[in-house]
Amino acid sequence: MKKESSPLWLEYKPLNTAFAGRAAIRCPSRVDRQGAAVTELITALKIMLPAAELTFGADSASLIFEADIADFLDPEEYMISADERGASVIGGSESGLLYGIFAYLREIRLAGSFVRMNRRVRPALELRMLDHWDNADGSVERGYSGESFFFEDGKLVVNERTEMYARLLASCGINSAVINNVNVRGEAVRLICEENIPQLARLSALLHRWGIALYLSIDFSAPVSVGGMRTADPLDPAVGYWWSNKARELWKAAPDLGGFLVKADSEGQPGPYAYGRDHADGANMLARAVKPYGGRIIWRAFVYNCTQDWRDTRTDRACAGFRTFAPLDGHFDANVILQVKNGPMDFQVREPVHPLFGAMKHTALAAEFQLAQEYTGQQLHVCCLLPMLREILLWNTCTDIQPGRVIDRICAAAAVSNTGDSFCWTGSELAGANLYGFGRLTFEPQLTAEDIIDEWITLTFGRDEKVREVLSEILLSSHKAYEDYTAPLGLGWLCKPATHYGPDPWGYEFDRWGTYNRADRDGVGIDRAKTGFTAMYNEPLRELYSDPEKCPDELLLFFCRVRYDHLLHSGKTVIQHIYDSHFEGCERAEEFARLWDSLEGRLPAEVFDNGRRRFKEQVRCAREWRDVINAFFHRLSGFSDEQGRKLY
Ligand code: GCW
């Protein structure tokens, strides 16, 4: 069934000017008049200037919009010069031009009128990618926004919503999309098979028109599962031959395909280990198959032992990615990108930055983030991830290569998408800021989270001052609030197993996933200098993280094991911090609900009601977190609260 969808931040409205004359679009023949860039400009101008007469190339026009392509710019780079009489937008290719047009339209919408501007912008990262965890049956793994809009009953869907999706992505600068789950199951295994190729080709062409390359998650054992072979051994020439033929078939039909994403030897997915080969063998075999077409292999570094014995205190899951991939640095082909999750565990609300970013010197890297709020309230709680994303991108890895920030060490950023077939795409309207902001930030990381949020609010909800004030206050303090009532001092995994929603501090303690807090009556946390993890960082980080006296408070319980009366840099004890942060975080959640209520009548009724329901649930759940976690630590430690509050 086809569902309606909102245009989100792309809802154009008439500008403040009462312009009724002639407005002309001028573009030389190297610009495609039917292309997305010119089409978008026309669509927008028609709505923004309802009384104008729109023409192509007329001399007597009083407003002139020039669109051009120039070789001296990088393909995705653009240049804008504009004033009250129109604009000249030049891109390095159709894509650059498209980004330039979107940037220009954004500025005039934000100003409400024609603006003077001069700008030249080039995206900071080559690939700005969304990873969908959509399954062929239409469900979405860790999806909190409804069902998939790519798949229905095993079939790939291409319709108006797909077009709207492509416009939304392009407008915030995203240029690649993986449409299916990295856990490739069911009918998705056959996505690369003959019967699905015509539809893949249609989708690829549609996305390409908006500057977006289509990527597919593949089953590493496809030569066996769909090819009928007896092996998927990457060093068996017949396997390489099978993949080369498959690539030829796919790229022949869909020449703009970007490549494959692979989750191998992880959480039950097949991989090269079954044949005694390593991850470079696996990735390079695929890389050679797609190379003739400019294709890439995005290979995930999320590899660890998920059948650990909780009694084994020597094995530390945090070390796994580094131990597997650091020795392979320099072994990967040039068209392989190693995709590393932002932290060493798994998208917790607070983790240190993954040490691989500071260790891999001869490997192309992608940073993987998760916009789907699996561990951050599942879009029922508001949790704006942009300040965290920005902090990670600009974090200094302290490698000897300069510059050494994460953003300098990677060529790509990927985000697990938070979209689904709900009307507002992201289940909660406020979660739209994460989607928009991910694109904007990976294009222009010098923008602040405040800038991006303000821009997103105005484009989405208009310029009501009160709405702007309230929403930016909620969004900007939401991550801290969530962290406060769920994950004190970097201690993750206090959530319920399987669903990852709500508190259960014993839940993961005796399980097989390598996710322990090791809390007892004397103290809490894991000594990760002992497990070898802190040694994976460059100095001075190694020393900083190994020493409980120096370790930053917010990561203390990730890196160190300390007593409950250990004194933090803040001057509080660990136990008092746990109590205080849980009370404060929960009060913040209650405050968010009140702030939201103050917007009644200022937002569309459905938006307001949807938000009110979600804040109600956030408050209920935050109270549960506060009381369960405080009771847990109170009962274990025996410490009471300095302020005498109820701990249960
Ligand atoms: O966070 C875990 C999720 C799994 C996911 C896995 C991964 C797609 O709980 O649902 O599988 O990470 O990133 O591969």
Side-chain angles (χ1 to χ4, degrees):
M1 206 192 52
K2 212 175 71 206
K3 284 205 200 161
E4 291 298 308
S5 68
S6 155
L8 300 180
W9 55 83
L10 279 186
E11 190 175 351
Y12 296 130
K13 301 226 171 85
L15 292 181
N16 295 337
T17 103
F19 181 82
R22 198 175 251 198
I25 295 176
R26 273 208 209 138
C27 48
S29 56
R30 56 184 173 275
V31 173
D32 180 1
R33 280 194 188 189
Q34 261 74 53
V38 175
T39 309
E40 189 68 25
L41 181 63
I42 296 173
T43 307
L45 289 178
K46 277 188 180 156
I47 302 173
M48 290 176 164
L49 304 172
E53 184 196 338
L54 217 55
T55 60
F56 264 106
D59 288 333
S60 57
S62 30
L63 278 177
I64 297 177
F65 302 95
E66 206 170 33
D68 204 351
I69 289 174
D71 295 334
F72 68 89
L73 296 173
D74 282 354
E76 289 191 308
E77 189 175 11
Y78 65 81
M79 223 166 70
I80 305 171
S81 61
D83 59 24
E84 301 74 22
R85 285 163 299 137
S88 150
V89 183
I90 306 172
S93 68
E94 281 288 335
S95 301
L97 179 61
L98 180 64
Y99 294 133
I101 299 278
F102 272 125
Y104 174 62
L105 293 172
R106 183 168 62 230
E107 291 309 316
I108 57 179
R109 289 174 64 208
L110 289 171
S113 60
F114 291 112
V115 285
R116 259 173 199 277
M117 63 187 284
N118 274 296
R119 187 175 295 179
R120 180 173 172 177
V121 180
R122 188 174 50 171
L125 295 172
E126 204 179 325
L127 288 180
R128 306 165 304 276
M129 169 173 272
L130 268 195
D131 288 2
H132 293 267
W133 286 355
D134 292 25
N135 299 315
D137 64 4
S139 62
V140 179
E141 180 155 345
R142 311 302 179 185
Y144 313 103
S145 308
E147 301 276 283
S148 170
F149 50 81
F150 286 119
F151 298 97
E152 228 175 77
D153 304 326
K155 295 271 167 305
L156 193 58
V157 181
V158 183
N159 59 23
E160 305 89 71
R161 190 168 185 131
T162 328
E163 183 89 25
M164 190 65 218
Y165 164 82
R167 272 182 72 209
L168 286 167
L169 260 54
S171 72
C172 62
I174 294 172
N175 70 356
S176 338
V178 184
I179 55 162
N180 64 311
N181 190 356
V182 285
N183 292 324
V184 188
R185 306 188 187 103
E187 280 300 299
V189 172
R190 299 192 60 80
L191 203 54
I192 55 171
C193 295
E194 205 183 343
E195 69 269 23
N196 288 311
I197 291 180
Q199 192 69 337
L200 277 178
R202 282 185 62 202
L203 178 60
S204 173
L206 182 156
L207 295 176
H208 177 71
R209 188 165 172 268
W210 294 93
I212 300 160
L214 170 65
Y215 283 74
L216 303 173
S217 293
I218 53 144
D219 169 16
F220 187 79
S221 65
V224 177
S225 60
V226 298
M229 292 175 61
R230 274 216 295 273
T231 178
D233 179 355
L235 296 194
D236 184 325
V239 171
Y241 182 72
W242 187 88
W243 278 111
S244 293
N245 281 335
K246 184 45 76 186
R248 185 182 317 116
E249 188 188 359
L250 284 166
W251 265 270
K252 186 166 178 239
D256 305 306
L257 210 61
F260 301 144
L261 171 65
V262 194
K263 172 176 179 178
D265 290 316
S266 166
E267 300 182 332
Q269 291 298 296
Y273 283 167
Y275 309 98
R277 316 298 184 195
D278 68 25
H279 284 267
D281 296 328
N284 292 343
M285 178 274 295
L286 290 169
R288 284 192 292 274
V290 303
K291 190 174 175 222
Y293 320 100
R296 301 184 211 243
I297 299 303
I298 313 220
W299 191 270
R300 290 177 96 223
F302 184 61
V303 177
Y304 70 101
N305 172 13
C306 67
T307 55
Q308 200 182 315
D309 185 335
W310 60 270
R311 298 167 192 85
D312 165 12
T313 52
R314 278 218 288 261
T315 306
D316 179 7
R317 169 167 164 184
C319 298
F322 189 97
R323 291 227 166 101
T324 306
F325 289 97
L328 297 178
D329 189 22
H331 295 206
F332 291 99
D333 284 7
N335 60 331
V336 175
I337 298 177
L338 186 67
Q339 182 162 303
V340 182
K341 285 193 182 184
N342 65 268
M345 296 298 279
D346 191 12
F347 301 138
Q348 301 300 289
V349 66
R350 174 73 62 177
E351 284 188 41
V353 176
H354 204 302
L356 276 175
F357 293 115
M360 303 299 271
K361 299 184 177 172
H362 311 285
T363 304
L365 295 175
E368 180 176 339
F369 300 98
Q370 192 187 43
L371 304 181
Q373 294 168 234
E374 176 179 1
Y375 295 96
T376 50
Q378 309 196 345
Q379 280 132 265
L380 290 164
H381 300 227
V382 57
C383 189
C384 176
L385 300 164
L386 301 178
M388 178 185 97
L389 257 58
R390 188 167 188 274
E391 201 180 298
I392 295 170
L393 289 172
L394 302 183
W395 186 79
N396 188 353
T397 65
C398 298
T399 165
D400 50 16
I401 305 173
Q402 286 305 318
R405 298 168 309 172
V406 171
I407 188 94
D408 309 312
R409 307 298 313 132
I410 60 182
C411 63
V416 178
S417 185
N418 56 357
T419 53
D421 71 352
S422 64
F423 177 74
C424 74
W425 298 83
T426 51
S428 149
E429 272 81 4
L430 292 182
N434 285 333
L435 181 61
Y436 178 82
F438 169 74
R440 294 286 287 127
L441 197 58
T442 52
F443 206 100
E444 292 181 68
Q446 64 279 12
L447 295 170
T448 65
E450 287 83 350
D451 292 338
I452 297 175
I453 286 169
D454 193 50
E455 189 179 292
W456 172 78
I457 295 171
T458 310
L459 296 175
T460 310
F461 298 109
R463 54 187 66 259
D464 179 331
E465 271 310 315
K466 164 104 182 164
V467 170
R468 275 170 72 174
E469 224 171 84
V470 167
L471 293 188
S472 46
E473 183 183 340
I474 293 179
L475 287 167
L476 284 166
S477 51
S478 58
H479 182 269
K480 166 98 173 40
Y482 192 83
E483 179 177 5
D484 277 350
Y485 62 77
T486 61
L489 306 166
L491 195 67
W493 304 102
L494 299 172
C495 60
K496 291 195 175 118
T499 63
H500 301 159
Y501 188 79
D504 184 358
W506 286 126
Y508 269 114
E509 209 46 25
F510 308 110
D511 214 329
R512 64 184 171 94
W513 299 94
T515 44
Y516 314 110
N517 56 61
R518 309 280 189 208
D520 63 20
R521 64 178 188 173
D522 299 319
V524 54
I526 292 171
D527 182 344
R528 288 200 150 108
K530 234 191 222 162
T531 67
F533 180 63
T534 56
M536 294 170 179
Y537 288 90
N538 299 313
E539 288 293 17
L541 298 168
R542 184 182 303 172
E543 193 192 327
L544 187 73
Y545 291 151
S546 303
D547 182 350
E549 300 306 323
K550 293 186 185 145
C551 186
D553 286 352
E554 71 268 19
L555 288 170
L556 182 68
L557 298 184
F558 190 98
F559 282 115
C560 306
R561 177 166 188 83
V562 293
R563 291 164 50 99
Y564 292 108
D565 57 2
H566 173 91
L567 214 53
L568 297 169
H569 300 293
S570 69
K572 288 185 187 181
T573 60
V574 163
I575 192 72
Q576 194 55 40
H577 176 97
I578 293 177
Y579 297 152
D580 286 350
S581 58
H582 282 79
F583 282 108
E584 280 160 23
C586 188
E587 275 161 29
R588 270 318 266 162
E590 289 163 355
E591 175 67 10
F592 292 159
R594 280 194 296 276
L595 282 168
W596 182 264
D597 279 350
S598 75
L599 297 183
E600 185 157 20
R602 293 174 182 267
L603 294 170
E606 322 79 68
V607 173
F608 179 77
D609 293 343
N610 187 23
R612 177 177 267 180
R613 278 194 302 277
R614 284 168 201 266
F615 279 115
K616 198 171 164 211
E617 167 55 19
Q618 178 169 1
V619 169
R620 184 205 63 76
C621 190
R623 289 180 181 150
E624 191 70 7
W625 272 100
R626 176 196 63 196
D627 295 337
V628 171
I629 301 303
N630 282 346
F632 174 77
F633 284 108
H634 171 56
R635 290 174 188 185
L636 271 179
S637 73
F639 280 93
S640 48
D641 172 36
E642 279 169 6
Q643 296 189 42
R645 290 164 294 194
K646 196 160 174 54
L647 299 173
Y648 300 95

mmCIF file of all heavy atoms in Angstrom, residues 123-151:
data_model
loop_
_atom_site.group_PDB
_atom_site.id
_atom_site.type_symbol
_atom_site.label_atom_id
_atom_site.label_comp_id
_atom_site.label_asym_id
_atom_site.label_seq_id
_atom_site.Cartn_x
_atom_site.Cartn_y
_atom_site.Cartn_z
ATOM 1 N N PRO A 123 32.298 19.658 -0.710
ATOM 2 C CA PRO A 123 32.016 18.764 0.430
ATOM 3 C C PRO A 123 33.293 18.228 1.068
ATOM 4 O O PRO A 123 34.255 17.923 0.379
ATOM 5 C CB PRO A 123 31.203 17.624 -0.189
ATOM 6 C CG PRO A 123 31.437 17.694 -1.656
ATOM 7 C CD PRO A 123 31.756 19.125 -1.974
ATOM 8 N N ALA A 124 33.261 18.112 2.387
ATOM 9 C CA ALA A 124 34.448 17.679 3.122
ATOM 10 C C ALA A 124 34.749 16.208 2.885
ATOM 11 O O ALA A 124 35.901 15.792 2.952
ATOM 12 C CB ALA A 124 34.238 17.921 4.609
ATOM 13 N N LEU A 125 33.717 15.417 2.633
ATOM 14 C CA LEU A 125 33.920 13.981 2.456
ATOM 15 C C LEU A 125 33.407 13.547 1.102
ATOM 16 O O LEU A 125 32.411 14.077 0.600
ATOM 17 C CB LEU A 125 33.164 13.204 3.546
ATOM 18 C CG LEU A 125 33.658 13.419 4.974
ATOM 19 C CD1 LEU A 125 32.721 12.756 5.964
ATOM 20 C CD2 LEU A 125 35.077 12.879 5.142
ATOM 21 N N GLU A 126 34.073 12.565 0.541
ATOM 22 C CA GLU A 126 33.704 12.111 -0.790
ATOM 23 C C GLU A 126 32.375 11.345 -0.770
ATOM 24 O O GLU A 126 31.547 11.508 -1.653
ATOM 25 C CB GLU A 126 34.817 11.190 -1.262
ATOM 26 C CG GLU A 126 34.930 11.078 -2.739
ATOM 27 C CD GLU A 126 36.083 10.150 -3.099
ATOM 28 O OE1 GLU A 126 37.116 10.148 -2.383
ATOM 29 O OE2 GLU A 126 35.916 9.426 -4.085
ATOM 30 N N LEU A 127 32.197 10.484 0.241
ATOM 31 C CA LEU A 127 30.951 9.729 0.328
ATOM 32 C C LEU A 127 30.193 10.126 1.579
ATOM 33 O O LEU A 127 30.739 10.095 2.685
ATOM 34 C CB LEU A 127 31.213 8.228 0.398
ATOM 35 C CG LEU A 127 31.700 7.532 -0.859
ATOM 36 C CD1 LEU A 127 31.898 6.055 -0.581
ATOM 37 C CD2 LEU A 127 30.712 7.703 -1.989
ATOM 38 N N ARG A 128 28.929 10.485 1.398
ATOM 39 C CA ARG A 128 28.041 10.843 2.509
ATOM 40 C C ARG A 128 26.834 9.935 2.347
ATOM 41 O O ARG A 128 26.003 10.149 1.475
ATOM 42 C CB ARG A 128 27.705 12.329 2.417
ATOM 43 C CG ARG A 128 29.009 13.161 2.354
ATOM 44 C CD ARG A 128 28.843 14.579 1.919
ATOM 45 N NE ARG A 128 28.193 14.783 0.650
ATOM 46 C CZ ARG A 128 28.783 14.737 -0.553
ATOM 47 N NH1 ARG A 128 30.070 14.484 -0.670
ATOM 48 N NH2 ARG A 128 28.092 14.946 -1.656
ATOM 49 N N MET A 129 26.813 8.912 3.166
ATOM 50 C CA MET A 129 26.020 7.744 2.822
ATOM 51 C C MET A 129 24.983 7.378 3.882
ATOM 52 O O MET A 129 25.244 7.478 5.066
ATOM 53 C CB MET A 129 27.037 6.612 2.661
ATOM 54 C CG MET A 129 26.499 5.246 2.555
ATOM 55 S SD MET A 129 27.855 4.083 2.165
ATOM 56 C CE MET A 129 27.881 4.142 0.408
ATOM 57 N N LEU A 130 23.801 6.963 3.421
ATOM 58 C CA LEU A 130 22.800 6.424 4.341
ATOM 59 C C LEU A 130 22.769 4.918 4.189
ATOM 60 O O LEU A 130 22.715 4.408 3.068
ATOM 61 C CB LEU A 130 21.401 6.939 3.989
ATOM 62 C CG LEU A 130 20.854 8.186 4.640
ATOM 63 C CD1 LEU A 130 19.356 8.251 4.399
ATOM 64 C CD2 LEU A 130 21.157 8.292 6.115
ATOM 65 N N ASP A 131 22.791 4.210 5.311
ATOM 66 C CA ASP A 131 22.675 2.754 5.291
ATOM 67 C C ASP A 131 21.302 2.379 5.826
ATOM 68 O O ASP A 131 21.003 2.627 6.993
ATOM 69 C CB ASP A 131 23.730 2.109 6.198
ATOM 70 C CG ASP A 131 25.134 2.203 5.615
ATOM 71 O OD1 ASP A 131 25.298 2.789 4.529
ATOM 72 O OD2 ASP A 131 26.061 1.687 6.269
ATOM 73 N N HIS A 132 20.496 1.786 4.965
ATOM 74 C CA HIS A 132 19.184 1.327 5.429
ATOM 75 C C HIS A 132 19.310 -0.119 5.867
ATOM 76 O O HIS A 132 19.976 -0.915 5.199
ATOM 77 C CB HIS A 132 18.159 1.445 4.297
ATOM 78 C CG HIS A 132 17.881 2.863 3.926
ATOM 79 N ND1 HIS A 132 16.858 3.586 4.474
ATOM 80 C CD2 HIS A 132 18.528 3.709 3.090
ATOM 81 C CE1 HIS A 132 16.875 4.812 3.976
ATOM 82 N NE2 HIS A 132 17.883 4.909 3.139
ATOM 83 N N TRP A 133 18.650 -0.444 6.971
ATOM 84 C CA TRP A 133 18.621 -1.831 7.433
ATOM 85 C C TRP A 133 17.253 -2.415 7.083
ATOM 86 O O TRP A 133 16.575 -3.018 7.904
ATOM 87 C CB TRP A 133 18.914 -1.904 8.932
ATOM 88 C CG TRP A 133 20.368 -1.676 9.270
ATOM 89 C CD1 TRP A 133 21.401 -1.512 8.391
ATOM 90 C CD2 TRP A 133 20.954 -1.606 10.588
ATOM 91 N NE1 TRP A 133 22.581 -1.343 9.076
ATOM 92 C CE2 TRP A 133 22.336 -1.394 10.423
ATOM 93 C CE3 TRP A 133 20.431 -1.701 11.886
ATOM 94 C CZ2 TRP A 133 23.209 -1.278 11.513
ATOM 95 C CZ3 TRP A 133 21.300 -1.577 12.958
ATOM 96 C CH2 TRP A 133 22.679 -1.380 12.771
ATOM 97 N N ASP A 134 16.837 -2.197 5.840
ATOM 98 C CA ASP A 134 15.529 -2.660 5.378
ATOM 99 C C ASP A 134 15.627 -4.103 4.881
ATOM 100 O O ASP A 134 16.567 -4.458 4.170
ATOM 101 C CB ASP A 134 15.038 -1.764 4.223
ATOM 102 C CG ASP A 134 14.704 -0.355 4.677
ATOM 103 O OD1 ASP A 134 15.272 0.087 5.706
ATOM 104 O OD2 ASP A 134 13.898 0.322 4.010
ATOM 105 N N ASN A 135 14.645 -4.890 5.270
ATOM 106 C CA ASN A 135 14.590 -6.284 4.830
ATOM 107 C C ASN A 135 13.625 -6.414 3.656
ATOM 108 O O ASN A 135 12.717 -5.591 3.498
ATOM 109 C CB ASN A 135 14.126 -7.173 5.980
ATOM 110 C CG ASN A 135 15.085 -7.109 7.160
ATOM 111 O OD1 ASN A 135 16.306 -7.165 6.975
ATOM 112 N ND2 ASN A 135 14.544 -6.954 8.356
ATOM 113 N N ALA A 136 13.828 -7.463 2.871
ATOM 114 C CA ALA A 136 13.007 -7.633 1.671
ATOM 115 C C ALA A 136 11.526 -7.821 2.004
ATOM 116 O O ALA A 136 10.651 -7.464 1.216
ATOM 117 C CB ALA A 136 13.520 -8.811 0.855
ATOM 118 N N ASP A 137 11.220 -8.342 3.201
ATOM 119 C CA ASP A 137 9.797 -8.542 3.537
ATOM 120 C C ASP A 137 9.116 -7.239 3.961
ATOM 121 O O ASP A 137 7.939 -7.243 4.328
ATOM 122 C CB ASP A 137 9.658 -9.604 4.640
ATOM 123 C CG ASP A 137 10.291 -9.168 5.959
ATOM 124 O OD1 ASP A 137 10.778 -8.019 6.045
ATOM 125 O OD2 ASP A 137 10.305 -9.983 6.905
ATOM 126 N N GLY A 138 9.850 -6.134 3.942
ATOM 127 C CA GLY A 138 9.239 -4.845 4.271
ATOM 128 C C GLY A 138 9.501 -4.415 5.707
ATOM 129 O O GLY A 138 9.226 -3.275 6.074
ATOM 130 N N SER A 139 10.041 -5.311 6.529
ATOM 131 C CA SER A 139 10.366 -4.893 7.902
ATOM 132 C C SER A 139 11.702 -4.154 7.895
ATOM 133 O O SER A 139 12.442 -4.208 6.913
ATOM 134 C CB SER A 139 10.438 -6.116 8.811
ATOM 135 O OG SER A 139 11.461 -6.981 8.364
ATOM 136 N N VAL A 140 11.975 -3.435 8.978
ATOM 137 C CA VAL A 140 13.238 -2.699 9.084
ATOM 138 C C VAL A 140 13.911 -3.098 10.396
ATOM 139 O O VAL A 140 13.314 -2.950 11.459
ATOM 140 C CB VAL A 140 13.006 -1.170 9.074
ATOM 141 C CG1 VAL A 140 14.334 -0.422 9.204
ATOM 142 C CG2 VAL A 140 12.276 -0.732 7.808
ATOM 143 N N GLU A 141 15.111 -3.639 10.314
ATOM 144 C CA GLU A 141 15.829 -3.997 11.553
ATOM 145 C C GLU A 141 16.186 -2.710 12.291
ATOM 146 O O GLU A 141 16.735 -1.780 11.713
ATOM 147 C CB GLU A 141 17.094 -4.807 11.219
ATOM 148 C CG GLU A 141 17.862 -5.196 12.476
ATOM 149 C CD GLU A 141 18.724 -6.450 12.304
ATOM 150 O OE1 GLU A 141 18.533 -7.182 11.321
ATOM 151 O OE2 GLU A 141 19.579 -6.687 13.176
ATOM 152 N N ARG A 142 15.839 -2.664 13.571
ATOM 153 C CA ARG A 142 16.044 -1.462 14.386
ATOM 154 C C ARG A 142 15.354 -0.246 13.756
ATOM 155 O O ARG A 142 15.887 0.860 13.769
ATOM 156 C CB ARG A 142 17.526 -1.166 14.592
ATOM 157 C CG ARG A 142 18.349 -2.369 15.047
ATOM 158 C CD ARG A 142 17.848 -2.952 16.318
ATOM 159 N NE ARG A 142 18.634 -4.123 16.719
ATOM 160 C CZ ARG A 142 18.315 -4.878 17.769
ATOM 161 N NH1 ARG A 142 17.237 -4.620 18.484
ATOM 162 N NH2 ARG A 142 19.052 -5.905 18.098
ATOM 163 N N GLY A 143 14.207 -0.512 13.151
ATOM 164 C CA GLY A 143 13.446 0.568 12.524
ATOM 165 C C GLY A 143 12.357 1.044 13.471
ATOM 166 O O GLY A 143 11.618 0.236 14.023
ATOM 167 N N TYR A 144 12.269 2.342 13.670
ATOM 168 C CA TYR A 144 11.284 2.895 14.607
ATOM 169 C C TYR A 144 10.396 3.915 13.907
ATOM 170 O O TYR A 144 9.857 4.816 14.532
ATOM 171 C CB TYR A 144 12.011 3.509 15.821
ATOM 172 C CG TYR A 144 13.078 2.571 16.348
ATOM 173 C CD1 TYR A 144 14.426 2.786 16.078
ATOM 174 C CD2 TYR A 144 12.710 1.418 17.043
ATOM 175 C CE1 TYR A 144 15.389 1.894 16.516
ATOM 176 C CE2 TYR A 144 13.678 0.515 17.485
ATOM 177 C CZ TYR A 144 15.013 0.766 17.214
ATOM 178 O OH TYR A 144 15.962 -0.131 17.631
ATOM 179 N N SER A 145 10.288 3.796 12.588
ATOM 180 C CA SER A 145 9.562 4.796 11.811
ATOM 181 C C SER A 145 8.611 4.140 10.834
ATOM 182 O O SER A 145 8.332 4.691 9.770
ATOM 183 C CB SER A 145 10.565 5.656 11.027
ATOM 184 O OG SER A 145 11.546 6.163 11.880
ATOM 185 N N GLY A 146 8.153 2.948 11.178
ATOM 186 C CA GLY A 146 7.261 2.240 10.272
ATOM 187 C C GLY A 146 8.020 1.208 9.453
ATOM 188 O O GLY A 146 9.120 0.791 9.807
ATOM 189 N N GLU A 147 7.402 0.825 8.362
ATOM 190 C CA GLU A 147 7.959 -0.218 7.505
ATOM 191 C C GLU A 147 8.883 0.392 6.459
ATOM 192 O O GLU A 147 8.982 1.610 6.324
ATOM 193 C CB GLU A 147 6.812 -0.929 6.776
ATOM 194 C CG GLU A 147 5.799 -1.575 7.688
ATOM 195 C CD GLU A 147 6.224 -2.956 8.139
ATOM 196 O OE1 GLU A 147 6.104 -3.894 7.326
ATOM 197 O OE2 GLU A 147 6.689 -3.090 9.294
ATOM 198 N N SER A 148 9.484 -0.480 5.675
ATOM 199 C CA SER A 148 10.365 -0.049 4.593
ATOM 200 C C SER A 148 9.565 0.612 3.475
ATOM 201 O O SER A 148 8.451 0.202 3.189
ATOM 202 C CB SER A 148 11.075 -1.270 4.016
ATOM 203 O OG SER A 148 11.754 -0.933 2.835
ATOM 204 N N PHE A 149 10.142 1.639 2.834
ATOM 205 C CA PHE A 149 9.505 2.148 1.615
ATOM 206 C C PHE A 149 10.273 1.687 0.381
ATOM 207 O O PHE A 149 9.976 2.090 -0.728
ATOM 208 C CB PHE A 149 9.332 3.677 1.635
ATOM 209 C CG PHE A 149 10.572 4.442 1.989
ATOM 210 C CD1 PHE A 149 11.538 4.698 1.048
ATOM 211 C CD2 PHE A 149 10.746 4.903 3.290
ATOM 212 C CE1 PHE A 149 12.685 5.391 1.376
ATOM 213 C CE2 PHE A 149 11.897 5.608 3.632
ATOM 214 C CZ PHE A 149 12.871 5.845 2.675
ATOM 215 N N PHE A 150 11.284 0.844 0.586
ATOM 216 C CA PHE A 150 12.007 0.269 -0.555
ATOM 217 C C PHE A 150 11.485 -1.116 -0.929
ATOM 218 O O PHE A 150 11.576 -1.523 -2.080
ATOM 219 C CB PHE A 150 13.499 0.136 -0.242
ATOM 220 C CG PHE A 150 14.249 1.430 -0.261
ATOM 221 C CD1 PHE A 150 14.885 1.895 0.876
ATOM 222 C CD2 PHE A 150 14.324 2.182 -1.422
ATOM 223 C CE1 PHE A 150 15.585 3.086 0.853
ATOM 224 C CE2 PHE A 150 15.024 3.374 -1.456
ATOM 225 C CZ PHE A 150 15.658 3.833 -0.308
ATOM 226 N N PHE A 151 10.988 -1.838 0.088
ATOM 227 C CA PHE A 151 10.594 -3.226 -0.168
ATOM 228 C C PHE A 151 9.181 -3.504 0.301
ATOM 229 O O PHE A 151 8.751 -2.999 1.336
ATOM 230 C CB PHE A 151 11.543 -4.187 0.556
ATOM 231 C CG PHE A 151 12.958 -4.092 0.093
ATOM 232 C CD1 PHE A 151 13.875 -3.328 0.797
ATOM 233 C CD2 PHE A 151 13.371 -4.742 -1.059
ATOM 234 C CE1 PHE A 151 15.191 -3.225 0.366
ATOM 235 C CE2 PHE A 151 14.686 -4.650 -1.495
ATOM 236 C CZ PHE A 151 15.600 -3.880 -0.785
#
